[in-house]
Amino acid sequence: EERRAAAALRVSETTVTADSPDPFVIKALHEQFELGSAAAAKSASGRPIPVTLFKPHEHQNMVPDRDPGFIFPIEVLKNVLMCIERNIPVYLWGHMGTGKSTVIEQACAYTNRPCVRIQHTLNTEEAHILGQWVLRGGEMIYQPGWLPLAMRNGWVYCADEYDFAVPHILSVYQPVLEGKSLIIKDGSEEWRVVKPHPNFRFAATGNTNGTGDETGLYQGTQIQNAANYERFGVVVKVEFPEPEIEKRILIARQGLSGDDADKFVKFANMIRANTDVSMPITPRSLSRSAEIGKLRGNFRVGLELAYVSRLSAVEREVVKQVAQRVFG
């Protein structure tokens, strides 16, 4: 497999050019995602990993914008790209703010793939996913939902907050997760049978792995049907970033000095390891704390406004003591 991938990369670099009729080119992952010479961004034997990069196309407006401040969790990125390349449905789950949806969107941004991100709630209905009949100009027409649009046009469909939806609604995805056509029973003749475009991909994210919330933090998530989740070919738990990665995120996003970023990262990991604090601070809240702290001229004030104020009275005192030890 590795030899075939390397051969494909060599062939693409020598035969596929910008004016080639092919709709895509093959690039090395570490180069396309600007990961430098990081060993983790290459194969186990140190070879470049080929990824498909699409040329400009008619659905360019559906391609997410690149986020230059996003630091890729390389192992998660490699798993997501593997699933996109091989057309394997992937489910990412983990704590809020760990970049689950963003890594999917940015994988699409850097490979020029159209992507649509659809949030799910307790009130999500089949019509929101599949489409519905609407009155327009005095006549009834069928308005397709985002799923059939993504399938027909070859977009990446990111089902966000997947575990907030009720299980019987999520069952509409099951044939799609199997790579089969979507049958819309009440659809118009044009949309009754939707075959997946060769470039269509399915990804989903959630705070739980479908077995319920074990933390008490994610009210509204549902215990899901195991048969539905079993259809995801790959399931990845997305953890909080390693300290060095989180430091780079803070420097890139908030322009912190290395010393200040180290303090924030130290604070975050002390809180996450403290069993007396039920709500860990996420990379998103940490970054926002640094931003507000810079505006107010006091990082502890930033933490208070962006994170500490959400906690219970007892937990606030615990966290304030940690902040005092770290920031002085």
Side-chain angles (χ1 to χ4, degrees):
E1 183 64 31
E2 219 173 76
R3 287 195 297 271
R4 285 198 299 271
L9 183 59
R10 287 196 299 273
V11 168
S12 68
E13 288 176 337
T14 56
T15 63
V16 181
T17 62
D19 57 357
S20 166
D22 297 272
F24 56 85
V25 294
I26 307 298
K27 298 289 187 180
L29 182 153
H30 69 284
E31 294 176 353
Q32 183 61 29
F33 286 82
E34 301 171 4
L35 300 174
S37 58
K42 298 181 180 180
S43 70
S45 61
R47 295 177 181 275
I49 298 174
V51 294
T52 303
L53 170 64
F54 282 78
K55 296 178 181 178
H57 46 70
E58 60 180 327
H59 301 293
Q60 199 66 39
N61 64 317
M62 297 300 297
V63 177
D65 294 330
R66 287 194 187 189
D67 179 355
F70 183 70
I71 306 297
F72 283 101
I74 295 179
E75 288 302 320
V76 176
L77 173 65
K78 286 163 66 175
N79 284 324
V80 167
L81 288 173
M82 173 186 70
C83 291
I84 289 176
E85 293 284 343
R86 296 292 184 175
N87 194 12
I88 302 172
V90 59
Y91 180 73
L92 306 183
W93 71 283
H95 275 300
M96 54 192 168
T98 51
K100 301 179 295 295
S101 304
T102 306
V103 73
I104 294 170
E105 288 181 325
Q106 288 303 299
C108 292
Y110 276 74
T111 56
N112 204 40
R113 285 181 180 266
C115 176
V116 58
R117 175 179 167 185
I118 301 301
Q119 277 67 44
H120 292 66
T121 71
L122 185 64
N123 296 320
T124 296
E125 300 175 0
E126 282 193 30
H128 299 149
I129 299 170
L130 303 180
Q132 58 191 325
W133 289 93
V134 296
L135 182 63
R136 186 171 295 169
E139 63 176 329
M140 296 296 292
I141 64 168
Y142 189 77
Q143 179 176 285
W146 285 109
L147 177 63
L149 284 170
M151 292 183 67
R152 182 161 289 181
N153 290 303
W155 304 340
V156 175
Y157 183 88
C158 178
D160 207 19
E161 309 293 357
Y162 197 77
D163 51 353
F164 270 83
V166 293
H168 73 272
I169 296 298
L170 295 181
S171 66
V172 303
Y173 289 125
Q174 290 185 193
V176 178
L177 289 168
E178 296 171 4
K180 298 177 181 176
S181 296
L182 175 68
I183 308 298
I184 306 177
K185 299 184 291 292
D186 300 322
S188 64
E189 183 176 350
E190 178 188 2
W191 289 99
R192 194 155 301 152
V193 179
V194 182
K195 295 183 178 182
H197 187 283
N199 295 331
F200 170 69
R201 300 293 186 267
F202 193 102
T205 70
N207 294 126
T208 74
N209 65 351
T211 59
D213 178 20
E214 300 173 350
T215 67
L217 296 175
Y218 304 110
Q219 297 298 311
T221 54
Q222 310 290 312
I223 296 177
Q224 298 293 337
N225 186 298
N228 183 281
Y229 274 60
E230 192 272 339
R231 285 170 166 81
F232 284 99
V234 171
V235 175
V236 179
K237 184 177 183 183
V238 182
E239 305 282 2
F240 290 120
E242 293 293 322
E244 187 58 33
I245 297 297
E246 197 156 27
K247 176 181 176 179
R248 289 172 55 197
I249 292 171
L250 290 170
I251 292 173
R253 289 195 177 279
Q254 303 304 336
L256 295 185
S257 68
D259 288 344
D260 286 336
D262 281 332
K263 290 178 181 179
F264 271 100
V265 172
K266 179 179 179 181
F267 169 83
N269 284 286
M270 288 175 69
I271 293 302
R272 292 166 189 163
N274 194 319
T275 57
D276 292 327
V277 181
S278 62
M279 182 185 293
I281 187 167
T282 67
R284 182 165 51 219
S285 292
L286 199 65
S287 181
R288 185 58 56 83
S289 297
E291 177 186 9
I292 295 172
K294 286 176 62 180
L295 292 172
R296 292 295 306 273
N298 188 318
F299 288 138
R300 285 170 59 193
V301 171
L303 286 166
E304 176 77 24
L305 294 174
Y307 169 63
V308 181
S309 295
R310 303 175 191 175
L311 306 175
S312 69
V314 173
E315 291 178 333
R316 285 200 299 271
E317 290 306 312
V318 172
V319 173
K320 286 179 181 179
Q321 290 175 19
V322 174
Q324 175 68 39
R325 291 199 298 271
V326 174
F327 291 95

